[in-house]
Amino acid sequence: MTPLLAVDLGGTKLVACLVSEGKVLSRVKVKTRVEDGPSGIAVQIAACCREALSGSGLALDGIAAVGVAVPGLVEHATGTVVQAPNLGWESFKAQAKLESLLGRPVVLENDVNAGLVGEWAYGSLKPFQGLQGRQVPLAALFVGTGVGGALMLGGSLVTGWSGVAGELGHMKVSEDGPKCGCGRRGCLEALASRSAIEKALGKKRGKLTSGRIAQLLDRKGSRKLKKAVSRAAHYLGVGVANIVTIFNPRAVVLGGGFMEALGERLLPDIMGSAREHSFAKGLRDCKVLLSALGDDAVPLGAAHLAAASLGNR
Ligand SMILES: [Zn+2]
């Protein structure tokens, strides 16, 4: 299979990968220059893609397509990023811009959607590909700076009527809970993200990495932190329970930096809370799994979607 390029564009970092057969062959990681605006970031993406190719002996024309995962809402029909608050993008025609810079077909996808597809194609959810003839429902919760969600049914992403299905981080889990970045109160993201923990500790956003939180938990005298982390686990369980109630998934994958650092440790508490809050049969039949691919889930999913879309052009 012809190699692909995949980009995981975040509000703080930008990663470009050369991908072949579900494997990342090379990786370039830089700080996202959000201050340069949409066109500036597009130029930065193109430069990173070229750099990811250097040393591979490949040129851009040896690449089948470029999958680009963005932290926002994507309108596929027009190749537009409708909204990406962390990038400050609104109605940016990213596909056309990137295709003109790279000269290759570009496929955009929401980052958590790409992550779910990555886990489905190559990671934790791979065993559920083979359930032929069943419309297997699968879900993802990615926990990091925020909480992202995604849904799949029968091997396809469920995007809803207007593309906003599966925004699981903004399901309400506590009516009077803390204020969320979306302006409402008590969303899962406002209680169970890394930012929610930073806020509970009175820290500035971006001050505590997930790895640092894991280290600090082992120290004495971190009562406030322990409380914030156990609150996060509790509400992630409520979130899983709600997903199970609404969607009856065969599996839910928990990913993102926060779960990568703390998933093993928090899973028993998450499951305890999920059992308390869900419809018993639904949860019994649902596997709750940690991501197998870590940071590679999003680029591998973006590459997979880019390859799949070539057949539809
Ligand atoms: Zn919200």
Side-chain angles (χ1 to χ4, degrees), residues 169-171 180-190:
H170 298 285
M171 74 170 113
C180 181
C182 72
R184 286 177 293 273
R185 282 190 177 278
C187 298
L188 183 58
E189 177 166 305

Side-chain angles (χ1 to χ4, degrees), residues 265-283:
R265 192 158 175 161
L266 298 185
L267 199 55
D269 288 351
I270 294 173
M271 291 311 293
S273 162
R275 273 190 287 276
E276 221 176 284
H277 294 98
S278 60
F279 197 58
K281 169 136 179 77
L283 189 64

Side-chain angles (χ1 to χ4, degrees), residues 41-160:
I41 295 178
V43 169
Q44 201 185 6
I45 290 174
C48 286
C49 283
R50 289 194 167 88
E51 205 183 321
L53 285 178
S54 69
S56 69
L58 283 165
L60 269 169
D61 57 10
I63 293 299
V66 187
V68 180
V70 296
L73 177 61
V74 171
E75 189 179 75
H76 291 102
T78 56
T80 305
V81 177
V82 179
Q83 220 180 18
N86 291 341
L87 298 171
W89 287 11
E90 222 160 299
S91 299
F92 177 47
K93 293 202 177 305
Q95 184 183 14
K97 178 76 188 171
L98 287 166
E99 286 185 346
S100 79
L101 288 170
L102 290 163
R104 303 309 302 147
V106 169
V107 176
L108 301 175
E109 188 52 77
N110 165 270
D111 53 2
V112 185
N113 280 352
L116 174 55
V117 169
E119 291 291 342
W120 173 81
Y122 312 107
S124 293
L125 301 178
K126 208 173 162 193
F128 306 104
Q129 273 182 28
L131 303 174
Q132 296 293 338
R134 301 279 307 264
Q135 291 276 297
V136 188
L138 299 167
L141 265 185
F142 276 41
V143 188
T145 314
V147 176
L151 303 170
M152 272 180 107
L153 185 63
S156 301
L157 286 163
V158 176
T159 51

Side-chain angles (χ1 to χ4, degrees), residues 207-226:
K207 282 285 160 211
L208 272 179
T209 62
S210 296
R212 184 76 186 131
I213 292 175
Q215 279 175 354
L216 288 173
L217 274 181
D218 292 326
R219 290 203 185 157
K220 274 191 192 156
S222 55
R223 247 187 58 223
K224 240 178 160 178
L225 178 73
K226 283 189 176 122

